[in-house]
Amino acid sequence: MPKVSHEYVIRKKSSILEAALSVCKVKPLHEITMRDIIKASGISQGGIYRYYADLDEILVEIINQTNANADYKQAVDAIIENSKAPQEKIEKLFTFLGNYIKENLSTVGKIQFELTILFANNPERQKKILSNITENESGQYLVEQLFSTIQQGISSGSFQPEVSPEDIFTFIITSIDGIVRDVVLQKCYGMFENEQVQCDEIRLMNTLSKSVLLLLGSK
């Protein structure tokens, strides 16, 4: 391979990643092949392997890139800092999450959902991919801040839970996962189109917020 500049390599790899991401938007992760990315990028098979050893190496970079671009920890911190009451923090965090899902559904939402399926069927690929992930998705941080707010509200007497905090935490996690799953299935795969249920992520998160506050016995 002729000697090329570092900038050239960066541009070439960026071009390949853009092509790979375009494939991810229209095809499930577990069905994507190197041939799909070669076709989308317009680079020869020999050319693409100069930059990436295999498909999983490309997927790792896509995941790291999408997670880095979708870093919203500062936005979560701003909500916590600028909200006075625990109830207000919870409402705003769920509203933010609903808007975030809506804006990033075809990239982060779809990829995270499909990774779950990919990993369930390919534990070896899961181990290989996860060991190279350097950018963590911000969803975990939001959930941690949400749980911390709930605990603080209970300690201060703002909340008088109807059920145990552990059960509320489980309810929140399973509800968020279910909302993301159904929204992805409907809007990215066209499922439930003939049914009356319409998955509006913002409305669903608003309903979840109200449900959580009721369970917390919010005053």
Side-chain angles (χ1 to χ4, degrees):
M1 178 179 179
K3 188 174 182 179
V4 295
S5 68
H6 177 69
E7 290 75 17
Y8 177 85
V9 173
I10 294 298
R11 287 198 304 272
K12 210 67 174 176
K13 294 183 76 171
S14 178
S15 174
I16 293 170
L17 290 180
E18 286 180 14
L21 188 57
S22 70
V23 174
C24 289
K25 290 181 179 180
V26 298
K27 195 169 185 177
L29 282 184
H30 66 277
E31 291 184 4
I32 295 174
T33 65
M34 202 63 151
R35 185 179 297 276
D36 293 322
I37 297 173
I38 290 169
K39 183 178 180 181
S41 67
I43 298 174
S44 68
Q45 181 171 325
I48 205 166
Y49 281 109
R50 292 175 180 173
Y51 303 99
Y52 293 101
D54 55 27
L55 177 61
D56 286 345
E57 196 171 296
I58 294 177
L59 291 181
V60 164
E61 284 221 30
I62 288 175
I63 296 165
N64 281 330
Q65 187 180 83
T66 54
N67 285 349
N69 291 341
D71 185 357
Y72 52 78
K73 291 179 182 178
Q74 289 185 344
V76 171
D77 289 340
I79 290 173
I80 298 297
E81 184 178 343
N82 297 323
S83 302
K84 295 180 180 179
Q87 295 93 328
E88 183 184 0
K89 293 179 184 180
I90 289 173
E91 289 170 350
K92 287 185 176 180
L93 286 172
F94 277 115
T95 297
F96 174 84
L97 186 56
N99 283 305
Y100 172 80
I101 293 171
K102 186 178 184 69
E103 293 170 4
N104 297 275
L105 187 67
S106 66
T107 53
V108 179
K110 183 174 181 290
I111 289 172
Q112 293 294 337
F113 170 73
E114 291 175 350
L115 276 176
T116 304
I117 301 172
L118 178 67
F119 291 164
N121 292 293
N122 299 274
E124 289 301 317
R125 289 186 72 185
Q126 177 184 15
K127 183 178 179 181
K128 178 182 177 183
I129 290 173
L130 288 182
S131 66
N132 289 288
I133 298 298
T134 58
E135 297 289 341
N136 294 320
E137 204 270 324
S138 298
Q140 184 60 39
Y141 183 73
L142 184 148
V143 169
E144 289 171 358
Q145 295 305 307
L146 186 60
F147 289 176
S148 176
T149 298
I150 290 172
Q151 293 283 21
Q152 291 170 13
I154 293 173
S155 298
S156 68
S158 297
F159 299 144
Q160 298 177 5
E162 300 292 329
V163 297
S164 72
E166 291 75 19
D167 287 343
I168 293 175
F169 296 160
T170 300
F171 172 68
I172 291 172
I173 292 296
T174 54
S175 297
I176 291 175
D177 286 347
I179 290 171
V180 172
R181 178 199 64 214
D182 287 352
V183 169
V184 168
L185 287 174
Q186 184 175 82
K187 297 188 176 181
C188 296
Y189 293 93
M191 295 184 67
F192 316 129
E193 286 186 344
N194 297 322
E195 300 178 23
Q196 292 184 346
V197 176
Q198 291 298 314
C199 297
D200 184 313
E201 49 275 81
I202 294 176
R203 277 179 45 209
L204 287 169
M205 284 298 172
N206 182 49
T207 300
L208 178 56
S209 174
K210 291 178 180 178
S211 300
V212 169
L213 289 173
L214 284 172
L215 289 172
L216 287 169
S218 176
K219 302 299 182 182

